[in-house]
Every structure is written in structure tokens, then in C-alpha cells.
């Protein structure tokens, strides 16, 4: 997911270009505006955490770009490309990462990525029908 902070800045295309330049294939991509219910369902794993409410509010604050990516060792490679969750940390530890380049802070950190292949399948199925993946 390219988060609302990046969609608002108008640099989502730059992130997509980085993905394609690093051998990810974008099988599906669409711009959506999450409802509160959708954001709560998507981030249900974090429901008990203190930041859950703020996360849901942030993710519904504007449009996001959801993508289905494919590539060799895609989850591990994308997580490395994203960089640390906190964009401030990313700038210090992984200055070429997406979060270092496009994020602002811990919450406005530009992108979300699945943490496992299994979650990647669940998250892709959340946003895309089989017909929307080519």
C-alpha cells in the first residue's frame, strides 16, 4: 500500500517506478479511499495496540494506492526496500529505502508491505479479485 501521505504528495508514481526498476512486477494497482470499516478490518491484527485508532484514522484520511506485487523472494526484498518502520530511523539506517526517501515519521511512513507470503495472499485477496490481477 502506498499510504495517504504519499498519495497527497503526488509521488506514488515514483515509488511504482522504483518497484519496477528493482524487478517487481505490479500485477494489480488501484487508487482507493478506505472506509473506517475497511481500515479496521485490514489492520485488525493491531486492534489491541495503542496506535490502532490513529492508524485507522490516518489510513482513512485520504486515498491510498493498493498494489499486488510479484517477484523472486518478493516479501523479503520488498521489506528491505521499504526500510525500517520509522522514517527517521530509515533515513539513518537505510537512506535509499522507500520510507527514508518518501516517509515523514513513524506513522506517515509512506508504504505498507506484507510481513509474510501468507499475509501477502490474505492482503492481496482483501483488495483484489482474481480478475484484477494480471
Amino acid at each position: 500500500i502506498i499510504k495517504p501521505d504519499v498519495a497527497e504528495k503526488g509521488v506514488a508514481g515514483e515509488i511504482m517506478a522504483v518497484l519496477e526498476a528493482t524487478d517487481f512486477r505490479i500485477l494489480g494497482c488501484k487508487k482507493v479511499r478506505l472506509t473506517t470499516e475497511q481500515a479496521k478490518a485490514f489492520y485488525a491484527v493491531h486492534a489491541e495496540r495503542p496506535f490502532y485508532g490513529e492508524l485507522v484514522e490516518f489510513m482513512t484520511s485520504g486515498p491510498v494506492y493498493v498494489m499486488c506485487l510479484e517477484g523472486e523472494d518478493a516479501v523479503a526484498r520488498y521489506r528491505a526496500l521499504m526500510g525500517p518502520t520509522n522514517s527517521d530511523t530509515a533515513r539513518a539506517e537505510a537512506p535509499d529505502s522507500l520510507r527514508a526517501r518518501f516517509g515523514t515519521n513513524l506513522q506517515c511512513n509512506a508504504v505498507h508491505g506484507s510481513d509474510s507470503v501468507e499475509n501477502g495472499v490474505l492482503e492481496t485477496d482483501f483488495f483484489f479479485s482474481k480478475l484484477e490481477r494480471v
Side-chain angles (χ1 to χ4, degrees):
I1 300 174
I2 296 176
K3 294 184 177 184
D5 54 319
V6 171
E8 183 179 320
K9 292 176 191 173
V11 294
E14 291 181 45
I15 290 177
M16 290 179 209
V18 169
L19 293 171
E20 290 181 324
T22 52
D23 296 325
F24 286 95
R25 289 176 299 287
I26 300 173
L27 302 180
C29 179
K30 57 186 171 181
K31 186 177 186 180
V32 298
R33 178 87 186 240
L34 296 174
T35 65
T36 299
E37 294 74 27
Q38 289 168 326
K40 283 181 176 180
F42 187 79
Y43 286 105
V45 66
H46 298 303
E48 300 301 318
R49 299 204 175 171
F51 60 82
Y52 178 69
E54 289 177 9
L55 176 60
V56 168
E57 186 176 329
F58 171 60
M59 292 302 293
T60 58
S61 68
V64 299
Y65 291 86
V66 294
M67 293 179 290
C68 174
L69 303 176
E70 180 180 74
E72 188 165 332
D73 200 20
V75 171
R77 285 192 319 112
Y78 184 61
R79 294 198 63 79
L81 183 62
M82 285 192 309
T85 303
N86 189 323
S87 295
D88 293 328
T89 304
R91 279 186 279 285
E93 297 177 5
D96 292 331
S97 69
L98 296 175
R99 288 177 169 155
R101 293 177 58 197
F102 299 101
T104 304
N105 55 36
L106 178 59
Q107 180 171 277
C108 298
N109 61 4
V111 292
H112 164 87
S114 303
D115 62 359
S116 68
V117 172
E118 296 78 19
N119 282 337
V121 170
L122 293 172
E123 292 178 357
T124 298
D125 288 347
F126 186 91
F127 288 112
F128 294 96
S129 72
K130 299 245 185 268
L131 291 174
E132 294 174 306
R133 300 175 229 177
V134 292

